[in-house]
Amino acid sequence: MLPSAIEAWFDARGWRPAAFQLETAEAFTAGRSGLLHAPTGSGKTVAALLGPLSKALNEGQAGGRIQILWVTPLRALATDTTNAIRTMVAELLPDWQVMKRSADTSASERQKIRRRLPEVLVTTPESLSLLLSYPDSQQQFSSLQVCVVDEWHELLGSKRGVQLQLALARLQTLAPQMRRWGLSATLGNLDEALEVLCHGLPAARGGAPLRIEGDAVKQVEIDTLIPARIERFPWAGHLGLSQLDGVLARIESAQSTLVFTNTRSQAELWYEAIIKARLDWLTVTAVHHGSLSRKVRGQIEDGLRSGYFKCVVCTSSLDLGVDFSPVEQVIQIGSPKGVARLSQRAGRSGHQPGSTSRILCVPSHAFELLEALAAREAVQLGNIEKRPPLRLCLDVLVQHLVTLALSKALIPDAILAEVRRTHAFAGLSDQAWQWALDFISRGGNALQHYDEFSKVAPGEAPDEPWSVPSRRIALRHRMAIGTITSDAEISVKLIKGRRLGQVEESFIAKLTPGDGFLFAGRVLEFVRLKDMVAEVRLARKKGRIIPRWSGSKMPLSTQLADGVISWMGRVSQALESGGADPRDLTQAVKALEDFPREILALESLLRTQQRLSALPAPGRLLVEAVRTREGTHCYIYPFAGRLVHEGLAAIIGYRLTRRTPITFKMTVNDYGIELLTARALPFDEASLKDLFSIEQLDDDLLASINSSEFAKRQFRDIARIAGLVFGGYPGAAKSNRGLQMSTGVLFDVLREYDPENELIKQAFREVLHEQMEYERLQSVMLKLQDMQVELQTPGRLTPLAFPLWAQRIREQVVSSEQWQDRLERMLESLYKGL
């Protein structure tokens, strides 16, 4: 039974508590922890609050100490969540304070929180670790009743999730009564997510951690904007802005629309195109991404909540559960590359219980029509991607140990047991633990003679806490807490005006005074670089370039790739079983007349692929060999995503060169691989299967990718997290080049003089398992071993091969004009005789 005050709160709004909300409250009352999985906008926040608020009301708690800790992955989400919780708490427990602590919190608010934690604190993993670095944290958090981790799926598979696991283990020691609850909307491995969140919890009186499912299925409508004309030989991005009129019509039809793009550069381009086409929307249209200033982002988010904006073009900066109720529809530009991402973005519309979420997919490449179709089918079937958790990230561990030393809590034997109660470090060996202690106390074998790497002083006795004796080291550590790493960024500021945001240093370095670039939805002119600030003015000239931010390419997920292959196989079977001659339009259309409209729109393209070569299908690996004036092109289509194809191409090339001296050019996309060589390649099924063998896979992969150089770049982020390098004080940040040089020297020194250094080993592991998606690569190669190879020798490039050819040419030529000329000449030759 809920307290009468909470029942009155529901009645005042005309609501009834959902069954999953009551179940969550009951589980909390019984002392249990768990994971709540429910659709976006179904009431997860209220569900997580009912238990602790009911307890407080029933026990007559007046407050005075922290009761609820709410951890969220995004600062924007922290603001929205704080407002939602504050509204509910203010009516039920008016004496309670609800506050937010994140990087955006003002200095005065931070000090207020430091003096006394509020009854409800909303924060991020980084800010939580910072709060745990103070000696009074042991007393401050002792009253904590529950820690709620919002959007747990976003943290699960990242180092931020590992950081949070360590923080939860610390909190559990400080507050043994604390329950843990995770909230998630889109996740495939829910049982594993529950295990990671609640690993090592003491037995609760009510039973083991519980997984609760929302009792409502969110209605999601996924539509596709079909292009007026589809080329039979498409290339990446060729549709893009040609779909502008259709997008404008959809925006016109709704009160408020979010237009999602996959990159910040794409967001800037689409915002510019929309404004140029509809100047009357200038004041009610905005662009939102992570490189804009906090103030600009906040103004846009406030405008979305109030219903002021008609359209906001955005990136993943608005992916998560921010409540923008006025948003009626979402438009996705380009393929979302993942089912979970599409579902998450769709949920930004219809963000209320019982409402329908609507999303329109706008392909920028003809084959993305198939990806949209596959995504719609996967959402209907609930086939969502998994987020595998990380293990043994020792860079995160050593950062956490210094944090504990600052709080006077690092007593090695006790903390080892605490650390092993996390899923991430359950398998931590004694040797690795001793290495971590040695690393923070003296820098390890290679760095022990440099004082700056001796950060922590051991206690005089085994039961005495270790400490950080240097105020300078303490200040630097607190400034660098966290696992989010990125290239150095330069602030962008109008001369005698406000700050607009930041762009990567590598982009600014290429500009000369007078150059124009598109940023924050306007064309700016670069004036000068002064004190790590790019000073700009509004441009008078029309020419501009688009900033390219790193980390923008997302590989196609297994679920979507399998869906695309499945649809191609169905089309192939329909054409073959119906006796349709691919050259006969009437027969082909009749054979496909019952297919979805995305397939009908692609009919000519798919028919051309079938006639020139074959369509891929489940259990069948398509391989094409084509001779041109450039040489022999071998096209292989595993449909495993860009990252896996990069590793697979490297292995194939390496193994071929071991057989005979040969030079390759390799190009990959989400669908396949192009190998280009001047010599003929005598491929047959047996030789191909040999290339796909997983024997000596680790050694061959590391040998084929110049693993030392890859690991050296990966080590840069590891070194930052572990505290080996310092990024600089505010306003005086080190350049990215300087950091890379310093970490590069450290990498070489450690590898030569301390080859067993755990961070060096971790760098190589992360290259394999993260950059190369090793587990997925291994799985794909095993799958290829069992597939039937269909070797085709078309006399020209096919619709599947052409995007790979076009991509390689684009990377080779100097200008876009040269690339366009070559593209048009090749298209002219391909269409002859069709």
Side-chain angles (χ1 to χ4, degrees), residues 27-271:
F28 176 89
T29 302
R32 300 177 76 173
S33 298
L35 175 67
L36 171 57
H37 179 250
T40 298
S42 61
K44 293 190 296 295
T45 301
V46 172
L49 289 172
L50 284 182
L53 293 184
S54 295
K55 181 178 185 296
L57 288 166
N58 287 332
E59 297 177 0
Q61 293 182 10
R65 302 191 65 189
I66 189 168
Q67 303 294 317
I68 303 172
L69 180 68
W70 197 285
V71 181
T72 174
L74 280 186
R75 287 176 286 177
L77 186 55
T79 300
D80 198 73
T81 301
T82 302
N83 293 334
I85 295 175
R86 187 175 287 147
T87 299
M88 186 174 182
V89 170
E91 292 188 35
L92 298 171
L93 293 160
D95 293 334
W96 279 25
Q97 280 189 304
V98 180
M99 300 182 72
K100 178 192 73 170
R101 173 59 169 92
S102 71
D104 291 343
T105 305
S106 66
S108 60
E109 286 287 291
R110 293 182 195 182
Q111 287 302 315
K112 187 176 179 180
I113 292 169
R114 273 280 301 115
R115 287 191 296 270
R116 184 187 78 83
L117 294 178
E119 286 78 7
V120 183
L121 178 63
V122 180
T123 190
T124 60
E126 294 75 24
S127 292
L128 173 57
S129 291
L130 183 60
L131 289 170
L132 289 172
S133 74
Y134 295 100
D136 62 353
S137 64
Q138 300 180 52
Q139 183 273 332
Q140 288 260 43
F141 284 101
S142 62
S143 60
L144 185 61
Q145 297 297 311
V146 62
C147 179
V148 179
V149 183
D150 205 355
E151 307 287 355
W152 173 228
H153 56 277
E154 285 295 321
L155 295 168
L156 177 62
S158 70
K159 287 186 179 180
R160 297 181 78 202
V162 175
Q163 179 187 17
L164 182 57
Q165 289 180 56
L166 290 168
L168 288 172
R170 175 93 290 253
L171 289 171
Q172 204 71 56
T173 299
L174 303 180
Q177 75 281 354
M178 182 190 80
R179 290 84 148 174
R180 303 180 197 176
W181 279 91
L183 308 181
S184 177
T186 50
L187 189 61
N189 51 328
L190 289 168
D191 289 335
E192 186 176 35
L194 174 63
E195 161 61 18
V196 175
L197 178 68
C198 298
H199 190 88
L201 271 179
R205 65 179 186 274
L210 181 67
R211 189 182 119 194
I212 296 176
E213 290 286 343
D215 52 10
V217 177
K218 184 71 173 178
Q219 296 298 316
V220 181
E221 291 183 2
I222 302 173
D223 196 8
T224 308
L225 185 62
I226 305 294
R229 181 171 181 266
I230 294 179
E231 298 283 351
R232 281 183 282 178
F233 296 93
W235 61 96
H238 76 287
L239 292 175
L241 288 170
S242 68
Q243 299 268 66
L244 178 62
D245 288 343
V247 170
L248 292 173
R250 288 300 187 104
I251 295 173
E252 179 78 75
S253 68
Q255 176 186 342
S256 180
T257 301
L258 283 180
V259 178
F260 275 103
T261 66
N262 290 338
T263 69
R264 302 176 199 181
S265 305
Q266 198 178 29
E268 295 280 357
L269 283 170
W270 271 89
Y271 171 79

Side-chain angles (χ1 to χ4, degrees), residues 617-653:
R620 186 169 69 196
L621 175 65
L622 176 62
V623 179
E624 297 174 345
V626 182
R627 287 286 300 173
T628 70
R629 286 179 296 179
E630 294 180 286
T632 299
H633 308 253
C634 178
Y635 294 99
I636 306 172
Y637 304 105
F639 279 77
R642 178 179 52 84
L643 294 182
V644 169
H645 290 164
E646 286 178 353
L648 188 57
I651 289 171
I652 292 172

Side-chain angles (χ1 to χ4, degrees), residues 7 11 19 21 28 43 89 135 161 170 195 222 281 334 358 385 493 540 553 693:
E7 289 185 348
D11 290 341
Q21 293 174 328
F28 176 89
V89 170
R170 175 93 290 253
E195 161 61 18
I222 302 173
W281 291 351
R358 294 178 174 85
E385 292 89 0
K493 180 179 177 295
R540 301 179 181 88
K553 291 185 177 180
S693 169

